[in-house]
Amino acid sequence: MSIVSDAVRTAQVLGRSFSVGNLTVPNRIVMAPLTRFFSPEGVPGHDVAQYYARRAAANVGLIITEGTLVQHPSSGSSDRVPRFWGEESLAGWRGVASAVHEAGGKIIPQLWHVGSTRTEGVGPVRTAPPVGPSGLALDGLPAGVALSTADIDDVIGAFATGAAAAQELGFDGVELHGAHGYLVDQFLWGRTNQRTDSYGGDLASRVRFAAEVVAAVRESIAPDFPVFFRLSQWKTGQYDARLAETPAELEAILTPLSDAGVDVFHASTRRYWIPEFEGSNLNLAGWAKNVTGKASITVGSVGLDKEFVGPAGSPDRSAVTSIEELLDRAERDEFDLVAVGRALIADPEWARKALDGRLEDAEPYDAALLETLH
């Protein structure tokens, strides 16, 4: 299939504005959150601000930052991942938000806790253990310690404090990382959540932690400050994992989150064109919108010919490819926004080229680009 897209059609489909709460974006293209490890001691600097601002200036409608750690001792595994706490880090984030706004863009931070995937002995608090709902790794083997109910309250409070800081710093909303086998997702997934209290057991109980995080975040911010929630079926290294086997199970997971205050569901898949359940062509973002009535974001190898991650590892290179099927699905309002990851690492001008129907001019992805912040 030709890379070239009809410029008029692309502009009509992806060039539409979108509003949620007090946020209005000029088009449907979102920069996906991508961890880059360029924030020494957890502080995003001028280079990080310009990295995001370049994409905002080139017509990305909304930027979702890389995962940024909430203030909990076990939240992260690297001193080069940005933090969303501490005077220096928050000052850095204020500069990032200002730079994006000056470039004409909108930006929200993604708040993150890695849970039991944490590597011991590294990160902001080197002595902190990995923590999770049941002290289990993603493969089901022992890892770290199980959170007590008091610990759970502390983590919930850390997410709420981070969201309040996002609003105070001038961001345009906030995203909660509930995907890919990190802490919030570990509570949702039966393999990693073997608790026997009110936070574990049946599906409704496993959703409780995530719903309480959302509710605490919603209470800490203005009613019209939008809350995004990232979810996935797959986990890091566990690509066949599934939270929901049926649309009814997905509805049982997402409805409490919607009721607690989620405005937009960001449905992470490795390939956006793959149907999520038998009997329907809808992808995960399509089903999230269908069962909740809330807006959704699709993501997964948009504009590239190889999926970004899988059992064989991430490919070193991916060629630019057509977005015709993406446009077909967007025209049917299967989802509301489209998140783009590696294609925007490769080419800061990707959004502008896509909207102009010039994807044949876009730069292909090469993993070597991860070594620099451009």
PDB file of all heavy atoms in Angstrom, residues 240-276:
ATOM      1  N   ASP A 240       1.116 -12.022  25.756  1.00  0.00           N
ATOM      2  CA  ASP A 240      -0.177 -12.666  25.579  1.00  0.00           C
ATOM      3  C   ASP A 240      -1.102 -12.467  26.771  1.00  0.00           C
ATOM      4  O   ASP A 240      -2.197 -13.021  26.805  1.00  0.00           O
ATOM      5  CB  ASP A 240       0.013 -14.171  25.334  1.00  0.00           C
ATOM      6  CG  ASP A 240       0.756 -14.456  24.040  1.00  0.00           C
ATOM      7  OD1 ASP A 240       0.586 -13.668  23.097  1.00  0.00           O
ATOM      8  OD2 ASP A 240       1.504 -15.445  23.976  1.00  0.00           O
ATOM      9  N   ALA A 241      -0.669 -11.674  27.743  1.00  0.00           N
ATOM     10  CA  ALA A 241      -1.492 -11.446  28.937  1.00  0.00           C
ATOM     11  C   ALA A 241      -2.775 -10.712  28.577  1.00  0.00           C
ATOM     12  O   ALA A 241      -2.807  -9.894  27.648  1.00  0.00           O
ATOM     13  CB  ALA A 241      -0.696 -10.635  29.955  1.00  0.00           C
ATOM     14  N   ARG A 242      -3.821 -10.996  29.329  1.00  0.00           N
ATOM     15  CA  ARG A 242      -5.111 -10.345  29.086  1.00  0.00           C
ATOM     16  C   ARG A 242      -5.780 -10.043  30.421  1.00  0.00           C
ATOM     17  O   ARG A 242      -5.924 -10.927  31.274  1.00  0.00           O
ATOM     18  CB  ARG A 242      -6.022 -11.229  28.235  1.00  0.00           C
ATOM     19  CG  ARG A 242      -5.481 -11.466  26.828  1.00  0.00           C
ATOM     20  CD  ARG A 242      -6.433 -12.315  26.010  1.00  0.00           C
ATOM     21  NE  ARG A 242      -7.656 -11.615  25.655  1.00  0.00           N
ATOM     22  CZ  ARG A 242      -7.764 -10.727  24.666  1.00  0.00           C
ATOM     23  NH1 ARG A 242      -6.703 -10.432  23.927  1.00  0.00           N
ATOM     24  NH2 ARG A 242      -8.912 -10.136  24.407  1.00  0.00           N
ATOM     25  N   LEU A 243      -6.193  -8.811  30.592  1.00  0.00           N
ATOM     26  CA  LEU A 243      -7.039  -8.446  31.732  1.00  0.00           C
ATOM     27  C   LEU A 243      -8.464  -8.906  31.506  1.00  0.00           C
ATOM     28  O   LEU A 243      -9.148  -9.320  32.434  1.00  0.00           O
ATOM     29  CB  LEU A 243      -7.038  -6.928  31.930  1.00  0.00           C
ATOM     30  CG  LEU A 243      -5.787  -6.238  32.431  1.00  0.00           C
ATOM     31  CD1 LEU A 243      -6.034  -4.743  32.521  1.00  0.00           C
ATOM     32  CD2 LEU A 243      -5.373  -6.793  33.784  1.00  0.00           C
ATOM     33  N   ALA A 244      -8.911  -8.775  30.265  1.00  0.00           N
ATOM     34  CA  ALA A 244     -10.306  -9.050  29.930  1.00  0.00           C
ATOM     35  C   ALA A 244     -10.379 -10.003  28.748  1.00  0.00           C
ATOM     36  O   ALA A 244      -9.787  -9.740  27.700  1.00  0.00           O
ATOM     37  CB  ALA A 244     -11.044  -7.751  29.607  1.00  0.00           C
ATOM     38  N   GLU A 245     -11.106 -11.087  28.902  1.00  0.00           N
ATOM     39  CA  GLU A 245     -11.310 -12.038  27.816  1.00  0.00           C
ATOM     40  C   GLU A 245     -12.526 -11.712  26.971  1.00  0.00           C
ATOM     41  O   GLU A 245     -12.655 -12.187  25.851  1.00  0.00           O
ATOM     42  CB  GLU A 245     -11.454 -13.463  28.378  1.00  0.00           C
ATOM     43  CG  GLU A 245     -10.212 -13.993  29.075  1.00  0.00           C
ATOM     44  CD  GLU A 245      -9.059 -14.262  28.117  1.00  0.00           C
ATOM     45  OE1 GLU A 245      -9.299 -14.276  26.876  1.00  0.00           O
ATOM     46  OE2 GLU A 245      -7.928 -14.461  28.596  1.00  0.00           O
ATOM     47  N   THR A 246     -13.417 -10.863  27.505  1.00  0.00           N
ATOM     48  CA  THR A 246     -14.662 -10.523  26.818  1.00  0.00           C
ATOM     49  C   THR A 246     -14.955  -9.035  26.994  1.00  0.00           C
ATOM     50  O   THR A 246     -14.437  -8.393  27.923  1.00  0.00           O
ATOM     51  CB  THR A 246     -15.843 -11.314  27.400  1.00  0.00           C
ATOM     52  OG1 THR A 246     -16.050 -10.886  28.765  1.00  0.00           O
ATOM     53  CG2 THR A 246     -15.581 -12.814  27.356  1.00  0.00           C
ATOM     54  N   PRO A 247     -15.810  -8.489  26.142  1.00  0.00           N
ATOM     55  CA  PRO A 247     -16.230  -7.095  26.344  1.00  0.00           C
ATOM     56  C   PRO A 247     -16.874  -6.872  27.705  1.00  0.00           C
ATOM     57  O   PRO A 247     -16.700  -5.804  28.308  1.00  0.00           O
ATOM     58  CB  PRO A 247     -17.224  -6.864  25.203  1.00  0.00           C
ATOM     59  CG  PRO A 247     -16.796  -7.810  24.126  1.00  0.00           C
ATOM     60  CD  PRO A 247     -16.318  -9.031  24.853  1.00  0.00           C
ATOM     61  N   ALA A 248     -17.605  -7.861  28.206  1.00  0.00           N
ATOM     62  CA  ALA A 248     -18.244  -7.713  29.516  1.00  0.00           C
ATOM     63  C   ALA A 248     -17.206  -7.567  30.618  1.00  0.00           C
ATOM     64  O   ALA A 248     -17.379  -6.766  31.556  1.00  0.00           O
ATOM     65  CB  ALA A 248     -19.153  -8.913  29.792  1.00  0.00           C
ATOM     66  N   GLU A 249     -16.124  -8.322  30.541  1.00  0.00           N
ATOM     67  CA  GLU A 249     -15.060  -8.195  31.538  1.00  0.00           C
ATOM     68  C   GLU A 249     -14.366  -6.844  31.424  1.00  0.00           C
ATOM     69  O   GLU A 249     -14.025  -6.224  32.437  1.00  0.00           O
ATOM     70  CB  GLU A 249     -14.052  -9.331  31.389  1.00  0.00           C
ATOM     71  CG  GLU A 249     -14.593 -10.683  31.823  1.00  0.00           C
ATOM     72  CD  GLU A 249     -13.553 -11.783  31.751  1.00  0.00           C
ATOM     73  OE1 GLU A 249     -12.427 -11.524  31.270  1.00  0.00           O
ATOM     74  OE2 GLU A 249     -13.867 -12.908  32.184  1.00  0.00           O
ATOM     75  N   LEU A 250     -14.147  -6.381  30.197  1.00  0.00           N
ATOM     76  CA  LEU A 250     -13.547  -5.057  30.021  1.00  0.00           C
ATOM     77  C   LEU A 250     -14.456  -3.986  30.625  1.00  0.00           C
ATOM     78  O   LEU A 250     -13.980  -3.060  31.300  1.00  0.00           O
ATOM     79  CB  LEU A 250     -13.303  -4.776  28.536  1.00  0.00           C
ATOM     80  CG  LEU A 250     -12.594  -3.459  28.239  1.00  0.00           C
ATOM     81  CD1 LEU A 250     -11.154  -3.485  28.745  1.00  0.00           C
ATOM     82  CD2 LEU A 250     -12.618  -3.153  26.744  1.00  0.00           C
ATOM     83  N   GLU A 251     -15.746  -4.110  30.403  1.00  0.00           N
ATOM     84  CA  GLU A 251     -16.701  -3.154  30.970  1.00  0.00           C
ATOM     85  C   GLU A 251     -16.642  -3.172  32.501  1.00  0.00           C
ATOM     86  O   GLU A 251     -16.703  -2.124  33.154  1.00  0.00           O
ATOM     87  CB  GLU A 251     -18.106  -3.478  30.491  1.00  0.00           C
ATOM     88  CG  GLU A 251     -19.157  -2.479  30.953  1.00  0.00           C
ATOM     89  CD  GLU A 251     -20.516  -2.736  30.346  1.00  0.00           C
ATOM     90  OE1 GLU A 251     -20.676  -3.758  29.635  1.00  0.00           O
ATOM     91  OE2 GLU A 251     -21.429  -1.917  30.569  1.00  0.00           O
ATOM     92  N   ALA A 252     -16.493  -4.363  33.081  1.00  0.00           N
ATOM     93  CA  ALA A 252     -16.427  -4.473  34.539  1.00  0.00           C
ATOM     94  C   ALA A 252     -15.182  -3.800  35.098  1.00  0.00           C
ATOM     95  O   ALA A 252     -15.190  -3.309  36.235  1.00  0.00           O
ATOM     96  CB  ALA A 252     -16.460  -5.946  34.949  1.00  0.00           C
ATOM     97  N   ILE A 253     -14.110  -3.757  34.318  1.00  0.00           N
ATOM     98  CA  ILE A 253     -12.882  -3.080  34.742  1.00  0.00           C
ATOM     99  C   ILE A 253     -12.995  -1.570  34.564  1.00  0.00           C
ATOM    100  O   ILE A 253     -12.651  -0.788  35.455  1.00  0.00           O
ATOM    101  CB  ILE A 253     -11.678  -3.610  33.945  1.00  0.00           C
ATOM    102  CG1 ILE A 253     -11.411  -5.078  34.279  1.00  0.00           C
ATOM    103  CG2 ILE A 253     -10.429  -2.769  34.211  1.00  0.00           C
ATOM    104  CD1 ILE A 253     -10.451  -5.756  33.324  1.00  0.00           C
ATOM    105  N   LEU A 254     -13.482  -1.146  33.417  1.00  0.00           N
ATOM    106  CA  LEU A 254     -13.432   0.278  33.074  1.00  0.00           C
ATOM    107  C   LEU A 254     -14.567   1.097  33.666  1.00  0.00           C
ATOM    108  O   LEU A 254     -14.395   2.294  33.919  1.00  0.00           O
ATOM    109  CB  LEU A 254     -13.411   0.442  31.553  1.00  0.00           C
ATOM    110  CG  LEU A 254     -12.220  -0.175  30.822  1.00  0.00           C
ATOM    111  CD1 LEU A 254     -12.219   0.250  29.361  1.00  0.00           C
ATOM    112  CD2 LEU A 254     -10.895   0.189  31.485  1.00  0.00           C
ATOM    113  N   THR A 255     -15.723   0.496  33.910  1.00  0.00           N
ATOM    114  CA  THR A 255     -16.846   1.265  34.442  1.00  0.00           C
ATOM    115  C   THR A 255     -16.534   1.888  35.801  1.00  0.00           C
ATOM    116  O   THR A 255     -16.813   3.085  36.009  1.00  0.00           O
ATOM    117  CB  THR A 255     -18.115   0.401  34.512  1.00  0.00           C
ATOM    118  OG1 THR A 255     -18.481   0.010  33.192  1.00  0.00           O
ATOM    119  CG2 THR A 255     -19.265   1.180  35.138  1.00  0.00           C
ATOM    120  N   PRO A 256     -15.943   1.149  36.763  1.00  0.00           N
ATOM    121  CA  PRO A 256     -15.593   1.810  38.023  1.00  0.00           C
ATOM    122  C   PRO A 256     -14.580   2.939  37.858  1.00  0.00           C
ATOM    123  O   PRO A 256     -14.634   3.933  38.595  1.00  0.00           O
ATOM    124  CB  PRO A 256     -15.001   0.669  38.864  1.00  0.00           C
ATOM    125  CG  PRO A 256     -15.571  -0.576  38.283  1.00  0.00           C
ATOM    126  CD  PRO A 256     -15.676  -0.305  36.810  1.00  0.00           C
ATOM    127  N   LEU A 257     -13.678   2.808  36.898  1.00  0.00           N
ATOM    128  CA  LEU A 257     -12.701   3.869  36.650  1.00  0.00           C
ATOM    129  C   LEU A 257     -13.371   5.087  36.030  1.00  0.00           C
ATOM    130  O   LEU A 257     -13.067   6.228  36.388  1.00  0.00           O
ATOM    131  CB  LEU A 257     -11.588   3.350  35.737  1.00  0.00           C
ATOM    132  CG  LEU A 257     -10.848   2.102  36.221  1.00  0.00           C
ATOM    133  CD1 LEU A 257      -9.743   1.718  35.234  1.00  0.00           C
ATOM    134  CD2 LEU A 257     -10.273   2.306  37.613  1.00  0.00           C
ATOM    135  N   SER A 258     -14.289   4.826  35.117  1.00  0.00           N
ATOM    136  CA  SER A 258     -15.061   5.912  34.523  1.00  0.00           C
ATOM    137  C   SER A 258     -15.880   6.635  35.584  1.00  0.00           C
ATOM    138  O   SER A 258     -15.891   7.870  35.658  1.00  0.00           O
ATOM    139  CB  SER A 258     -15.971   5.354  33.424  1.00  0.00           C
ATOM    140  OG  SER A 258     -16.787   6.356  32.880  1.00  0.00           O
ATOM    141  N   ASP A 259     -16.537   5.859  36.431  1.00  0.00           N
ATOM    142  CA  ASP A 259     -17.357   6.459  37.491  1.00  0.00           C
ATOM    143  C   ASP A 259     -16.508   7.247  38.478  1.00  0.00           C
ATOM    144  O   ASP A 259     -16.970   8.249  39.050  1.00  0.00           O
ATOM    145  CB  ASP A 259     -18.124   5.365  38.240  1.00  0.00           C
ATOM    146  CG  ASP A 259     -19.198   4.696  37.387  1.00  0.00           C
ATOM    147  OD1 ASP A 259     -19.564   5.258  36.329  1.00  0.00           O
ATOM    148  OD2 ASP A 259     -19.665   3.615  37.783  1.00  0.00           O
ATOM    149  N   ALA A 260     -15.268   6.817  38.690  1.00  0.00           N
ATOM    150  CA  ALA A 260     -14.384   7.499  39.640  1.00  0.00           C
ATOM    151  C   ALA A 260     -13.838   8.804  39.091  1.00  0.00           C
ATOM    152  O   ALA A 260     -13.350   9.636  39.876  1.00  0.00           O
ATOM    153  CB  ALA A 260     -13.225   6.580  40.031  1.00  0.00           C
ATOM    154  N   GLY A 261     -13.885   8.984  37.759  1.00  0.00           N
ATOM    155  CA  GLY A 261     -13.473  10.271  37.224  1.00  0.00           C
ATOM    156  C   GLY A 261     -12.580  10.268  36.011  1.00  0.00           C
ATOM    157  O   GLY A 261     -12.090  11.328  35.601  1.00  0.00           O
ATOM    158  N   VAL A 262     -12.348   9.102  35.386  1.00  0.00           N
ATOM    159  CA  VAL A 262     -11.554   9.097  34.154  1.00  0.00           C
ATOM    160  C   VAL A 262     -12.351   9.765  33.033  1.00  0.00           C
ATOM    161  O   VAL A 262     -13.524   9.474  32.821  1.00  0.00           O
ATOM    162  CB  VAL A 262     -11.159   7.663  33.746  1.00  0.00           C
ATOM    163  CG1 VAL A 262     -10.523   7.659  32.361  1.00  0.00           C
ATOM    164  CG2 VAL A 262     -10.211   7.056  34.768  1.00  0.00           C
ATOM    165  N   ASP A 263     -11.680  10.644  32.303  1.00  0.00           N
ATOM    166  CA  ASP A 263     -12.309  11.322  31.165  1.00  0.00           C
ATOM    167  C   ASP A 263     -11.942  10.691  29.836  1.00  0.00           C
ATOM    168  O   ASP A 263     -12.733  10.717  28.895  1.00  0.00           O
ATOM    169  CB  ASP A 263     -11.887  12.794  31.139  1.00  0.00           C
ATOM    170  CG  ASP A 263     -12.334  13.548  32.368  1.00  0.00           C
ATOM    171  OD1 ASP A 263     -13.549  13.676  32.570  1.00  0.00           O
ATOM    172  OD2 ASP A 263     -11.461  13.998  33.144  1.00  0.00           O
ATOM    173  N   VAL A 264     -10.723  10.152  29.733  1.00  0.00           N
ATOM    174  CA  VAL A 264     -10.223   9.590  28.474  1.00  0.00           C
ATOM    175  C   VAL A 264      -9.452   8.310  28.794  1.00  0.00           C
ATOM    176  O   VAL A 264      -8.579   8.309  29.669  1.00  0.00           O
ATOM    177  CB  VAL A 264      -9.284  10.575  27.741  1.00  0.00           C
ATOM    178  CG1 VAL A 264      -8.789   9.972  26.426  1.00  0.00           C
ATOM    179  CG2 VAL A 264      -9.985  11.906  27.481  1.00  0.00           C
ATOM    180  N   PHE A 265      -9.756   7.233  28.058  1.00  0.00           N
ATOM    181  CA  PHE A 265      -9.027   5.976  28.204  1.00  0.00           C
ATOM    182  C   PHE A 265      -8.014   5.843  27.070  1.00  0.00           C
ATOM    183  O   PHE A 265      -8.372   5.914  25.894  1.00  0.00           O
ATOM    184  CB  PHE A 265      -9.985   4.786  28.202  1.00  0.00           C
ATOM    185  CG  PHE A 265     -10.775   4.662  29.470  1.00  0.00           C
ATOM    186  CD1 PHE A 265     -12.089   5.114  29.544  1.00  0.00           C
ATOM    187  CD2 PHE A 265     -10.195   4.114  30.600  1.00  0.00           C
ATOM    188  CE1 PHE A 265     -12.809   5.011  30.725  1.00  0.00           C
ATOM    189  CE2 PHE A 265     -10.908   4.007  31.791  1.00  0.00           C
ATOM    190  CZ  PHE A 265     -12.219   4.453  31.855  1.00  0.00           C
ATOM    191  N   HIS A 266      -6.755   5.651  27.450  1.00  0.00           N
ATOM    192  CA  HIS A 266      -5.640   5.537  26.506  1.00  0.00           C
ATOM    193  C   HIS A 266      -5.292   4.057  26.404  1.00  0.00           C
ATOM    194  O   HIS A 266      -4.633   3.499  27.285  1.00  0.00           O
ATOM    195  CB  HIS A 266      -4.465   6.357  27.035  1.00  0.00           C
ATOM    196  CG  HIS A 266      -3.297   6.426  26.126  1.00  0.00           C
ATOM    197  ND1 HIS A 266      -2.159   7.152  26.426  1.00  0.00           N
ATOM    198  CD2 HIS A 266      -3.048   5.871  24.916  1.00  0.00           C
ATOM    199  CE1 HIS A 266      -1.283   7.033  25.463  1.00  0.00           C
ATOM    200  NE2 HIS A 266      -1.796   6.251  24.529  1.00  0.00           N
ATOM    201  N   ALA A 267      -5.755   3.408  25.353  1.00  0.00           N
ATOM    202  CA  ALA A 267      -5.691   1.950  25.230  1.00  0.00           C
ATOM    203  C   ALA A 267      -4.447   1.538  24.468  1.00  0.00           C
ATOM    204  O   ALA A 267      -4.376   1.670  23.239  1.00  0.00           O
ATOM    205  CB  ALA A 267      -6.951   1.432  24.541  1.00  0.00           C
ATOM    206  N   SER A 268      -3.463   1.007  25.187  1.00  0.00           N
ATOM    207  CA  SER A 268      -2.173   0.671  24.589  1.00  0.00           C
ATOM    208  C   SER A 268      -2.207  -0.725  23.984  1.00  0.00           C
ATOM    209  O   SER A 268      -2.435  -1.719  24.680  1.00  0.00           O
ATOM    210  CB  SER A 268      -1.069   0.746  25.642  1.00  0.00           C
ATOM    211  OG  SER A 268       0.172   0.351  25.097  1.00  0.00           O
ATOM    212  N   THR A 269      -1.955  -0.792  22.686  1.00  0.00           N
ATOM    213  CA  THR A 269      -1.789  -2.061  21.978  1.00  0.00           C
ATOM    214  C   THR A 269      -0.507  -1.997  21.176  1.00  0.00           C
ATOM    215  O   THR A 269       0.027  -0.917  20.919  1.00  0.00           O
ATOM    216  CB  THR A 269      -2.973  -2.347  21.030  1.00  0.00           C
ATOM    217  OG1 THR A 269      -3.066  -1.289  20.066  1.00  0.00           O
ATOM    218  CG2 THR A 269      -4.293  -2.440  21.792  1.00  0.00           C
ATOM    219  N   ARG A 270      -0.003  -3.153  20.759  1.00  0.00           N
ATOM    220  CA  ARG A 270       1.218  -3.169  19.967  1.00  0.00           C
ATOM    221  C   ARG A 270       0.935  -2.894  18.499  1.00  0.00           C
ATOM    222  O   ARG A 270       1.807  -2.443  17.774  1.00  0.00           O
ATOM    223  CB  ARG A 270       1.923  -4.510  20.145  1.00  0.00           C
ATOM    224  CG  ARG A 270       2.537  -4.655  21.531  1.00  0.00           C
ATOM    225  CD  ARG A 270       2.737  -6.095  21.972  1.00  0.00           C
ATOM    226  NE  ARG A 270       3.419  -6.871  20.971  1.00  0.00           N
ATOM    227  CZ  ARG A 270       3.121  -8.145  20.694  1.00  0.00           C
ATOM    228  NH1 ARG A 270       2.126  -8.742  21.321  1.00  0.00           N
ATOM    229  NH2 ARG A 270       3.810  -8.804  19.791  1.00  0.00           N
ATOM    230  N   ARG A 271      -0.287  -3.173  18.042  1.00  0.00           N
ATOM    231  CA  ARG A 271      -0.689  -2.940  16.660  1.00  0.00           C
ATOM    232  C   ARG A 271      -2.137  -2.461  16.677  1.00  0.00           C
ATOM    233  O   ARG A 271      -3.039  -3.224  17.039  1.00  0.00           O
ATOM    234  CB  ARG A 271      -0.565  -4.229  15.846  1.00  0.00           C
ATOM    235  CG  ARG A 271       0.865  -4.699  15.654  1.00  0.00           C
ATOM    236  CD  ARG A 271       0.929  -6.178  15.347  1.00  0.00           C
ATOM    237  NE  ARG A 271       0.554  -6.964  16.528  1.00  0.00           N
ATOM    238  CZ  ARG A 271       0.549  -8.300  16.573  1.00  0.00           C
ATOM    239  NH1 ARG A 271       0.864  -8.989  15.507  1.00  0.00           N
ATOM    240  NH2 ARG A 271       0.215  -8.927  17.678  1.00  0.00           N
ATOM    241  N   TYR A 272      -2.381  -1.229  16.292  1.00  0.00           N
ATOM    242  CA  TYR A 272      -3.707  -0.640  16.447  1.00  0.00           C
ATOM    243  C   TYR A 272      -4.765  -1.332  15.593  1.00  0.00           C
ATOM    244  O   TYR A 272      -5.960  -1.251  15.877  1.00  0.00           O
ATOM    245  CB  TYR A 272      -3.674   0.857  16.120  1.00  0.00           C
ATOM    246  CG  TYR A 272      -3.554   1.161  14.638  1.00  0.00           C
ATOM    247  CD1 TYR A 272      -4.679   1.186  13.827  1.00  0.00           C
ATOM    248  CD2 TYR A 272      -2.316   1.413  14.041  1.00  0.00           C
ATOM    249  CE1 TYR A 272      -4.576   1.448  12.465  1.00  0.00           C
ATOM    250  CE2 TYR A 272      -2.201   1.664  12.701  1.00  0.00           C
ATOM    251  CZ  TYR A 272      -3.331   1.690  11.913  1.00  0.00           C
ATOM    252  OH  TYR A 272      -3.226   1.935  10.557  1.00  0.00           O
ATOM    253  N   TRP A 273      -4.358  -2.032  14.540  1.00  0.00           N
ATOM    254  CA  TRP A 273      -5.317  -2.589  13.585  1.00  0.00           C
ATOM    255  C   TRP A 273      -5.833  -3.978  13.980  1.00  0.00           C
ATOM    256  O   TRP A 273      -6.665  -4.547  13.293  1.00  0.00           O
ATOM    257  CB  TRP A 273      -4.689  -2.656  12.189  1.00  0.00           C
ATOM    258  CG  TRP A 273      -3.408  -3.458  12.142  1.00  0.00           C
ATOM    259  CD1 TRP A 273      -3.268  -4.797  11.913  1.00  0.00           C
ATOM    260  CD2 TRP A 273      -2.087  -2.939  12.317  1.00  0.00           C
ATOM    261  NE1 TRP A 273      -1.946  -5.159  11.942  1.00  0.00           N
ATOM    262  CE2 TRP A 273      -1.189  -4.034  12.192  1.00  0.00           C
ATOM    263  CE3 TRP A 273      -1.562  -1.666  12.575  1.00  0.00           C
ATOM    264  CZ2 TRP A 273       0.190  -3.884  12.313  1.00  0.00           C
ATOM    265  CZ3 TRP A 273      -0.188  -1.523  12.701  1.00  0.00           C
ATOM    266  CH2 TRP A 273       0.668  -2.619  12.566  1.00  0.00           C
ATOM    267  N   ILE A 274      -5.365  -4.522  15.093  1.00  0.00           N
ATOM    268  CA  ILE A 274      -5.771  -5.864  15.497  1.00  0.00           C
ATOM    269  C   ILE A 274      -7.068  -5.798  16.293  1.00  0.00           C
ATOM    270  O   ILE A 274      -7.153  -5.088  17.301  1.00  0.00           O
ATOM    271  CB  ILE A 274      -4.676  -6.531  16.351  1.00  0.00           C
ATOM    272  CG1 ILE A 274      -3.371  -6.630  15.559  1.00  0.00           C
ATOM    273  CG2 ILE A 274      -5.134  -7.903  16.832  1.00  0.00           C
ATOM    274  CD1 ILE A 274      -3.468  -7.495  14.320  1.00  0.00           C
ATOM    275  N   PRO A 275      -8.112  -6.544  15.883  1.00  0.00           N
ATOM    276  CA  PRO A 275      -9.356  -6.583  16.672  1.00  0.00           C
ATOM    277  C   PRO A 275      -9.096  -7.152  18.065  1.00  0.00           C
ATOM    278  O   PRO A 275      -8.269  -8.050  18.241  1.00  0.00           O
ATOM    279  CB  PRO A 275     -10.265  -7.505  15.861  1.00  0.00           C
ATOM    280  CG  PRO A 275      -9.718  -7.480  14.472  1.00  0.00           C
ATOM    281  CD  PRO A 275      -8.237  -7.321  14.631  1.00  0.00           C
ATOM    282  N   GLU A 276      -9.807  -6.622  19.062  1.00  0.00           N
ATOM    283  CA  GLU A 276      -9.551  -7.036  20.440  1.00  0.00           C
ATOM    284  C   GLU A 276     -10.306  -8.300  20.843  1.00  0.00           C
ATOM    285  O   GLU A 276      -9.790  -9.134  21.576  1.00  0.00           O
ATOM    286  CB  GLU A 276      -9.912  -5.899  21.410  1.00  0.00           C
ATOM    287  CG  GLU A 276      -9.397  -6.103  22.809  1.00  0.00           C
ATOM    288  CD  GLU A 276      -7.886  -6.312  22.837  1.00  0.00           C
ATOM    289  OE1 GLU A 276      -7.157  -5.566  22.150  1.00  0.00           O
ATOM    290  OE2 GLU A 276      -7.439  -7.227  23.561  1.00  0.00           O
TER     291      GLU A 276
END
